[in-house]
């Protein structure tokens, strides 16, 4: 099994059984992510070097307009896609095996957690992993200490208030608050 095989399985929403060859590739890739984020977070880097490390982590080109304030952690890295003019504030944690896509002009607040994997509920299969992507539209503002759960899509221009837990899809231009997050109102303008 290769990383390409694993990414195909993850992007297809296939279950990754515990102790399978796919799981082994995932673990190997996670070790690389830990090495890269360790370097990223271990000392000060100029913004250009931060983007270089982020590109190494994701395996994708990172636009020069992207800004990341470390520390940043990802336990996989290879399934993150960032648009242009994205700002990731300090303390973000991405569990990206299932896929994280962040559109242009997004602001991601301190300590945001984005999860894209669930474990199986059955005790006998608890080690199995079920991937489900998180898609964040354009011009979304996510406040500090927000958690976004697997399978959530957030529409363009939405705002997620600080400390919210997003458990379901968010319409465009919605202002979401709480745990679980609910629509407070529509964002105007």
């Amino acid at each position: 099994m290769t990383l390409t095989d694993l990414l195909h399985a993850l992007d297809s929403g296939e279950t990754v059984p515990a102790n399978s060859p796919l799981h082994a590739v995932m673990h190997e890739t996670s070790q690389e992510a830990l090495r890269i984020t360790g370097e990223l977070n271990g000392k000060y880097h100029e913004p250009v070097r931060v983007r270089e490390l982020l590109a190494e982590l994701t395996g994708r080109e990172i636009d020069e307009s992207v800004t990341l304030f470390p520390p940043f952690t990802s336990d996989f890295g290879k399934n993150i896609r960032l648009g242009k003019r994205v700002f990731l504030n300090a303390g973000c944690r991405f569990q990206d095996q299932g896929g994280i896509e962040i559109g242009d002009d997004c602001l991601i607040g301190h300590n945001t957690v984005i999860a894209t994997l669930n474990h199986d509920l059955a005790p006998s299969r608890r080690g199995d992993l079920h991937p489900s992507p998180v898609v964040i539209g354009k011009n979304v503002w996510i406040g500090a200490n927000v958690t976004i759960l697997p399978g959530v899509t957030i529409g363009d221009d939405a705002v997620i208030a600080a400390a919210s837990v997003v458990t379901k899809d968010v319409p465009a231009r919605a202002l979401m608050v709480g745990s679980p997050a609910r629509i407070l109102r529509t964002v105007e303008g």
Side-chain angles (χ1 to χ4, degrees), residues 1-69:
M1 291 284 157
T2 66
L3 177 58
T4 300
D5 297 326
L6 176 59
L7 286 169
H8 176 74
L10 292 167
D11 291 343
S12 298
E14 294 178 27
T15 296
V16 177
N19 303 314
S20 68
L22 286 176
H23 192 267
V25 172
M26 185 184 297
H27 181 73
E28 181 180 309
T29 306
S30 293
Q31 294 306 303
E32 180 184 2
L34 291 171
R35 179 188 60 77
I36 295 166
T37 57
E39 182 178 343
L40 174 68
N41 299 325
K43 64 180 182 176
Y44 173 78
H45 298 283
E46 295 289 334
V48 170
R49 181 64 180 144
V50 169
R51 284 189 296 277
E52 289 171 355
L53 288 165
L54 194 52
E56 184 180 350
L57 176 69
T58 63
R60 293 178 169 81
E61 185 177 328
I62 301 298
D63 191 82
E64 67 182 20
S65 64
V66 170
T67 302
L68 166 65
F69 285 1

Side-chain angles (χ1 to χ4, degrees), residues 162-179:
S164 294
V165 178
V166 184
T167 61
K168 61 184 179 182
D169 288 353
V170 174
R173 303 180 85 66
L175 171 58
M176 303 291 287
V177 300
S179 178

Side-chain angles (χ1 to χ4, degrees), residues 43-132:
K43 64 180 182 176
Y44 173 78
H45 298 283
E46 295 289 334
V48 170
R49 181 64 180 144
V50 169
R51 284 189 296 277
E52 289 171 355
L53 288 165
L54 194 52
E56 184 180 350
L57 176 69
T58 63
R60 293 178 169 81
E61 185 177 328
I62 301 298
D63 191 82
E64 67 182 20
S65 64
V66 170
T67 302
L68 166 65
F69 285 1
F72 173 79
T73 58
S74 168
D75 58 2
F76 187 67
K78 300 301 186 212
N79 219 356
I80 298 171
R81 293 169 186 84
L82 300 175
K84 295 178 180 178
R85 298 169 304 281
V86 170
F87 176 72
L88 302 172
N89 216 329
C92 290
R93 295 182 175 269
F94 288 6
Q95 180 200 48
D96 64 289
Q97 288 89 337
I100 296 173
E101 182 177 334
I102 300 176
D104 296 343
D105 302 301
C106 287
L107 304 173
I108 311 298
H110 287 93
N111 302 317
T112 294
V113 173
I114 302 177
T116 66
L117 287 178
N118 275 315
H119 289 275
D120 203 282
L121 289 176
S124 63
R125 305 295 316 165
R126 191 66 42 87
D128 292 357
L129 300 170
H130 303 287
S132 192

